[in-house]
Amino acid sequence: MKALRYSSLLIIVAILLLSVVAYHLRAAADNEVPRVQLNTDNIAPRPIEDLTSKSVPRDYALAWQTLEQALEENQTGLLDGYFTGFAKQDFTQRINSQLKSGLHTRYTDRGHKLEALFYSPTGDVMELRDHAQLDMQILDGGKVIYDEPMNAEFTVLMTPGADRWLVRQIQATSGEKP
Amino acid sequence: MKRVFPLFLGGITLVLIILAWFTSGGVARREMRQANTPEQAVRLMLSQIQGHNFDAAYARLSNRGDVDKNAFIREFNGSYGSLLTYSSLENFDIWGLHSSDQESTMRVRLHYSTGVGPLDDVRDVKVQKSGDTWKVFWPVNNATKLPPQVIPVNYLRWDVIGRGAGDEWGVQNVDTPQVRILSMNAIQRPDGVTLVGEVVNEDSVPAFVNVGATLLDHAGNEIAQESSFDKIAHTLLPKQVSPYRIDFPNMRMEKIKNVRMDAKALLAAASADPVIEVNQQKVETDPLGKKVLSGQLTNEGGQVVDIPHVIVSYYDSNGKVVWVSDGYVAQPLLPQVPVPFAVDLPADISKNVQSYHVVVNHFDRVSS
Amino acid sequence: MRAVIIAAMMCFSGVSAVASEIHAPAQVTAGTAITIRTSGSGDATFYLVGPASASKTKVQAGSNIPIDSDQLEDAGRYVAALCASDGCTAANFFVKPAAANKLSFLVHPSRVPVGTPQGITAVAIVHDSFRNIVLQPSPVTFSIMAKNEKSVSAARTSENGVAWVRLTSAKKGGPTRLGAAIGHADEIRVVQQVAADACNLRIKASRAKRGFLVETEPVHDCGGNPVPDGTVVSFTESDAAGKTTVDVPIKRGVAKIEMPIDGSAKITVASGVVTGNELEVTGGQ
């Protein structure tokens, strides 16, 4: 009888633990680092260094991961890691106004194709074009007011920070050729 | 059965107390109350210094009349914010050199634990018999002191005003200094791989420099990353050259295909003062039989240098850097007063050394 | 599950009497006011979400909704949505940058040795008045104004919002002004042109109290520009007592130091990677 009581207790604890683990795994899966492919065929005038060609897509992916989380949870602090300058100002402003209006933006990221356009001769700024595939949902509280998959194009300025590349400006374009 | 356990515990406690007494030097202290031999005299005095019982240690000197007590204490406790002010005497070794009925010479090696790592100080100490007991004859410090005076110092000083945090991107800024790695040589040592070389500040402003290295294996993967840490003079004035050394412990050369070097420089406020002259440099064998590069440091300025740090690059006959060694000097550099220094040079490397270049770095309480 | 709910909402709105609709212009220029037309009737909520803003207002479905110019300053994609009792309807539109009127002007380095070929780089990123990147090609005028010399200009057309030039530093030291202009923007940066490495580094020695006073002749680069004070000159002296080295910063154009010399000695001098002449002197004890 005693053994039965203990084993049922154990099973309950195990179920609780498993549900916590499952919840965290789901949360982690929701917030995966997006896929980013970098094409540097047309980069000029400075050739890209090996290390930079690895760190730019990595940091850009992490920037999107934190941006998506920041816009969904309305947490401006998450922007500190990978954003600076106008990009940080703009997204901070967006999150503050989302908070004021009770809105959230949820992205499902289906990947980014980055094309490096300009890398300054002194290596202090890089301009890129991002062909992104995203599903965007805008929610008012729990109510979905907008839901659309989109093929977006962004013009991005990235600048080197102490140990990473930071997104300085990101501007969606309608895809028109300049 | 019930009594066995308390008895066992009591026994264990007693053993531990005895062990603690032994390890804390209880036996030595008991033996040393009477200095019946020269070695005991020195050991007793050093034990008392170790225990900060300077009065008792001073009382063990045979020439108390000539030795100022405060000066004696300063020799162990340091002064002017020198390295010894941030250290403690951990332990010491003593061995005899010469001995007679009335006088003996002992060699002592003092092991200090300091804020920058261990520091050894080797001294030869005379011990004299005084009645039934032996006493230490402490050498009188006759270092000349500069008479009171005003020394005009008008070397340059650089301050930096950077871009404010709120300033817009792209507005005028001052760039970080241009530094260049002049040379790099990878050496297999018994305990790992060491990279040695030199770096120069090519700019017209001072730079705070650090050199880092990443080792890559044959597949191009990063296998280790280290920096020069304190084996470099970090603050380099315009056109100044510093040696650097980066150690990769437990690394084998066969594993390494490539090395990625990275010299990072920041703008730094700095002063061209003090100028430190390094005199009488020579490679010699020290009293312990080790190869050292020794010499004297002379502070040409008027401000006390608290912690001098000597870094030396050694070159072979082709002018290639074959080793870099460094050492902290325990004494402060008072204006115009020469202070000796010695830094180790591995015996196997000393055979190939044709010339050397000494750089003196310094750390001060006010500025560094 | 979400899709099902939305589909259900859409179906529900389809069967209602008058479905709400929203019409936004396809493209707008940044900083321009617009009106968004809606249809339907009854109370509704209007949402406008842009790159740097998100707003929610109560409106009447079927009315025209004015959007102020200051709500449309950031270029990018905007979503306008209208939610009424019959569900939500949305339209999206792009705000494109206004005319080029500002520059982010990056000039490197801030210090450059004289006569360095292609040693100065100037990059201009073209913005409109609202800091949006202007991707349309725009002419940027770069100019260089050296002290006591005539200004020289060159025009470059921006590509993807960026224009840049590379310049060779002048033969004479001193500050030079670099400018970039577009629209009402005229940005100026100052580059300090400093002496290059020392050239013909020479030392002389004379007897002094503590041995010999060793000093350099005034230190110049090969173009005759004085090497700045503070630049380190390394003196090395070898005699019977060993070697003496000292790093001395240049002060008022020269570097000097008093060195103790025992017997005959050889004195050499270097600054960075440049070496100078060698002296042989004989001193006394």
mmCIF file of all heavy atoms in Angstrom, chain C residues 60-83:
data_model
loop_
_atom_site.group_PDB
_atom_site.id
_atom_site.type_symbol
_atom_site.label_atom_id
_atom_site.label_comp_id
_atom_site.label_asym_id
_atom_site.label_seq_id
_atom_site.Cartn_x
_atom_site.Cartn_y
_atom_site.Cartn_z
ATOM 1 N N GLN C 60 -15.220 55.861 -36.670
ATOM 2 C CA GLN C 60 -16.486 55.405 -37.231
ATOM 3 C C GLN C 60 -16.182 54.728 -38.556
ATOM 4 O O GLN C 60 -15.551 55.334 -39.434
ATOM 5 C CB GLN C 60 -17.416 56.620 -37.473
ATOM 6 C CG GLN C 60 -18.117 57.122 -36.214
ATOM 7 C CD GLN C 60 -19.102 56.104 -35.667
ATOM 8 O OE1 GLN C 60 -19.875 55.478 -36.416
ATOM 9 N NE2 GLN C 60 -19.065 55.886 -34.355
ATOM 10 N N ALA C 61 -16.571 53.475 -38.703
ATOM 11 C CA ALA C 61 -16.350 52.796 -39.986
ATOM 12 C C ALA C 61 -17.109 53.560 -41.063
ATOM 13 O O ALA C 61 -18.233 54.038 -40.833
ATOM 14 C CB ALA C 61 -16.830 51.355 -39.891
ATOM 15 N N GLY C 62 -16.491 53.692 -42.207
ATOM 16 C CA GLY C 62 -17.104 54.422 -43.302
ATOM 17 C C GLY C 62 -16.596 55.841 -43.412
ATOM 18 O O GLY C 62 -16.852 56.525 -44.406
ATOM 19 N N SER C 63 -15.884 56.307 -42.407
ATOM 20 C CA SER C 63 -15.347 57.675 -42.467
ATOM 21 C C SER C 63 -13.939 57.639 -43.060
ATOM 22 O O SER C 63 -13.304 56.576 -43.142
ATOM 23 C CB SER C 63 -15.313 58.292 -41.073
ATOM 24 O OG SER C 63 -14.461 57.531 -40.259
ATOM 25 N N ASN C 64 -13.450 58.807 -43.442
ATOM 26 C CA ASN C 64 -12.069 58.924 -43.901
ATOM 27 C C ASN C 64 -11.184 59.199 -42.690
ATOM 28 O O ASN C 64 -11.519 60.068 -41.868
ATOM 29 C CB ASN C 64 -11.933 60.062 -44.902
ATOM 30 C CG ASN C 64 -12.548 59.685 -46.238
ATOM 31 O OD1 ASN C 64 -12.780 58.502 -46.513
ATOM 32 N ND2 ASN C 64 -12.829 60.677 -47.046
ATOM 33 N N ILE C 65 -10.093 58.490 -42.610
ATOM 34 C CA ILE C 65 -9.217 58.648 -41.439
ATOM 35 C C ILE C 65 -7.978 59.429 -41.854
ATOM 36 O O ILE C 65 -7.196 58.944 -42.679
ATOM 37 C CB ILE C 65 -8.833 57.276 -40.840
ATOM 38 C CG1 ILE C 65 -10.113 56.515 -40.478
ATOM 39 C CG2 ILE C 65 -7.933 57.435 -39.634
ATOM 40 C CD1 ILE C 65 -9.897 55.051 -40.224
ATOM 41 N N PRO C 66 -7.797 60.639 -41.298
ATOM 42 C CA PRO C 66 -6.592 61.397 -41.671
ATOM 43 C C PRO C 66 -5.376 60.916 -40.880
ATOM 44 O O PRO C 66 -5.470 60.660 -39.680
ATOM 45 C CB PRO C 66 -6.962 62.835 -41.293
ATOM 46 C CG PRO C 66 -7.990 62.688 -40.215
ATOM 47 C CD PRO C 66 -8.652 61.369 -40.363
ATOM 48 N N ILE C 67 -4.263 60.766 -41.568
ATOM 49 C CA ILE C 67 -3.004 60.388 -40.893
ATOM 50 C C ILE C 67 -2.045 61.566 -41.027
ATOM 51 O O ILE C 67 -1.741 61.986 -42.153
ATOM 52 C CB ILE C 67 -2.348 59.135 -41.535
ATOM 53 C CG1 ILE C 67 -3.359 57.996 -41.705
ATOM 54 C CG2 ILE C 67 -1.119 58.688 -40.766
ATOM 55 C CD1 ILE C 67 -3.760 57.283 -40.459
ATOM 56 N N ASP C 68 -1.593 62.086 -39.893
ATOM 57 C CA ASP C 68 -0.700 63.253 -39.911
ATOM 58 C C ASP C 68 0.650 62.901 -40.526
ATOM 59 O O ASP C 68 1.083 61.745 -40.461
ATOM 60 C CB ASP C 68 -0.474 63.755 -38.475
ATOM 61 C CG ASP C 68 -1.711 64.430 -37.941
ATOM 62 O OD1 ASP C 68 -2.598 64.753 -38.755
ATOM 63 O OD2 ASP C 68 -1.785 64.620 -36.703
ATOM 64 N N SER C 69 1.299 63.940 -41.022
ATOM 65 C CA SER C 69 2.607 63.706 -41.658
ATOM 66 C C SER C 69 3.624 63.166 -40.655
ATOM 67 O O SER C 69 4.488 62.360 -41.003
ATOM 68 C CB SER C 69 3.107 65.002 -42.285
ATOM 69 O OG SER C 69 3.190 66.001 -41.287
ATOM 70 N N ASP C 70 3.529 63.601 -39.385
ATOM 71 C CA ASP C 70 4.534 63.144 -38.416
ATOM 72 C C ASP C 70 4.369 61.675 -38.039
ATOM 73 O O ASP C 70 5.228 61.091 -37.397
ATOM 74 C CB ASP C 70 4.565 64.058 -37.181
ATOM 75 C CG ASP C 70 3.250 64.078 -36.436
ATOM 76 O OD1 ASP C 70 2.282 63.461 -36.942
ATOM 77 O OD2 ASP C 70 3.175 64.705 -35.360
ATOM 78 N N GLN C 71 3.238 61.083 -38.429
ATOM 79 C CA GLN C 71 3.073 59.648 -38.173
ATOM 80 C C GLN C 71 3.670 58.815 -39.306
ATOM 81 O O GLN C 71 3.698 57.595 -39.213
ATOM 82 C CB GLN C 71 1.578 59.314 -38.040
ATOM 83 C CG GLN C 71 0.986 59.700 -36.693
ATOM 84 C CD GLN C 71 -0.465 59.259 -36.623
ATOM 85 O OE1 GLN C 71 -1.355 59.961 -37.096
ATOM 86 N NE2 GLN C 71 -0.684 58.084 -36.062
ATOM 87 N N LEU C 72 4.110 59.479 -40.341
ATOM 88 C CA LEU C 72 4.608 58.751 -41.515
ATOM 89 C C LEU C 72 6.013 59.228 -41.889
ATOM 90 O O LEU C 72 6.320 59.442 -43.056
ATOM 91 C CB LEU C 72 3.633 58.952 -42.695
ATOM 92 C CG LEU C 72 2.224 58.430 -42.482
ATOM 93 C CD1 LEU C 72 1.294 58.912 -43.581
ATOM 94 C CD2 LEU C 72 2.213 56.905 -42.452
ATOM 95 N N GLU C 73 6.838 59.440 -40.889
ATOM 96 C CA GLU C 73 8.191 59.942 -41.169
ATOM 97 C C GLU C 73 9.186 58.818 -41.431
ATOM 98 O O GLU C 73 10.206 59.030 -42.074
ATOM 99 C CB GLU C 73 8.681 60.798 -39.994
ATOM 100 C CG GLU C 73 7.973 62.139 -39.953
ATOM 101 C CD GLU C 73 8.456 63.031 -38.838
ATOM 102 O OE1 GLU C 73 9.217 62.548 -37.972
ATOM 103 O OE2 GLU C 73 8.046 64.206 -38.811
ATOM 104 N N ASP C 74 8.888 57.636 -40.901
ATOM 105 C CA ASP C 74 9.848 56.526 -41.052
ATOM 106 C C ASP C 74 9.520 55.716 -42.287
ATOM 107 O O ASP C 74 8.395 55.213 -42.428
ATOM 108 C CB ASP C 74 9.790 55.629 -39.809
ATOM 109 C CG ASP C 74 10.240 56.377 -38.584
ATOM 110 O OD1 ASP C 74 11.439 56.639 -38.472
ATOM 111 O OD2 ASP C 74 9.375 56.743 -37.766
ATOM 112 N N ALA C 75 10.523 55.579 -43.142
ATOM 113 C CA ALA C 75 10.296 54.802 -44.359
ATOM 114 C C ALA C 75 10.139 53.336 -43.994
ATOM 115 O O ALA C 75 10.732 52.851 -43.031
ATOM 116 C CB ALA C 75 11.473 54.989 -45.299
ATOM 117 N N GLY C 76 9.320 52.633 -44.783
ATOM 118 C CA GLY C 76 9.139 51.205 -44.538
ATOM 119 C C GLY C 76 7.704 50.795 -44.744
ATOM 120 O O GLY C 76 6.903 51.533 -45.331
ATOM 121 N N ARG C 77 7.402 49.608 -44.238
ATOM 122 C CA ARG C 77 6.083 49.021 -44.459
ATOM 123 C C ARG C 77 5.156 49.392 -43.302
ATOM 124 O O ARG C 77 5.524 49.271 -42.133
ATOM 125 C CB ARG C 77 6.288 47.500 -44.500
ATOM 126 C CG ARG C 77 5.131 46.671 -44.878
ATOM 127 C CD ARG C 77 5.534 45.215 -44.618
ATOM 128 N NE ARG C 77 4.412 44.335 -44.800
ATOM 129 C CZ ARG C 77 4.152 43.706 -45.941
ATOM 130 N NH1 ARG C 77 4.947 43.858 -46.978
ATOM 131 N NH2 ARG C 77 3.115 42.893 -46.037
ATOM 132 N N TYR C 78 3.960 49.830 -43.631
ATOM 133 C CA TYR C 78 2.945 50.184 -42.633
ATOM 134 C C TYR C 78 1.730 49.274 -42.803
ATOM 135 O O TYR C 78 1.391 48.922 -43.933
ATOM 136 C CB TYR C 78 2.488 51.645 -42.800
ATOM 137 C CG TYR C 78 3.494 52.650 -42.277
ATOM 138 C CD1 TYR C 78 4.699 52.869 -42.933
ATOM 139 C CD2 TYR C 78 3.236 53.390 -41.118
ATOM 140 C CE1 TYR C 78 5.624 53.787 -42.452
ATOM 141 C CE2 TYR C 78 4.144 54.314 -40.632
ATOM 142 C CZ TYR C 78 5.345 54.504 -41.304
ATOM 143 O OH TYR C 78 6.256 55.401 -40.822
ATOM 144 N N VAL C 79 1.116 48.929 -41.689
ATOM 145 C CA VAL C 79 -0.129 48.149 -41.737
ATOM 146 C C VAL C 79 -1.232 49.025 -41.165
ATOM 147 O O VAL C 79 -1.096 49.553 -40.047
ATOM 148 C CB VAL C 79 -0.013 46.847 -40.923
ATOM 149 C CG1 VAL C 79 -1.344 46.128 -40.848
ATOM 150 C CG2 VAL C 79 1.037 45.933 -41.521
ATOM 151 N N ALA C 80 -2.308 49.200 -41.938
ATOM 152 C CA ALA C 80 -3.479 49.925 -41.435
ATOM 153 C C ALA C 80 -4.598 48.896 -41.303
ATOM 154 O O ALA C 80 -4.888 48.174 -42.265
ATOM 155 C CB ALA C 80 -3.869 51.023 -42.413
ATOM 156 N N ALA C 81 -5.191 48.803 -40.136
ATOM 157 C CA ALA C 81 -6.241 47.792 -39.920
ATOM 158 C C ALA C 81 -7.454 48.450 -39.282
ATOM 159 O O ALA C 81 -7.326 49.383 -38.483
ATOM 160 C CB ALA C 81 -5.716 46.676 -39.039
ATOM 161 N N LEU C 82 -8.611 47.961 -39.683
ATOM 162 C CA LEU C 82 -9.866 48.482 -39.133
ATOM 163 C C LEU C 82 -10.648 47.301 -38.565
ATOM 164 O O LEU C 82 -10.912 46.333 -39.281
ATOM 165 C CB LEU C 82 -10.670 49.173 -40.245
ATOM 166 C CG LEU C 82 -11.934 49.874 -39.791
ATOM 167 C CD1 LEU C 82 -11.600 51.186 -39.075
ATOM 168 C CD2 LEU C 82 -12.840 50.168 -40.984
ATOM 169 N N CYS C 83 -10.950 47.370 -37.304
ATOM 170 C CA CYS C 83 -11.719 46.289 -36.688
ATOM 171 C C CYS C 83 -13.073 46.829 -36.245
ATOM 172 O O CYS C 83 -13.138 47.783 -35.449
ATOM 173 C CB CYS C 83 -10.972 45.707 -35.487
ATOM 174 S SG CYS C 83 -9.526 44.776 -35.987
#
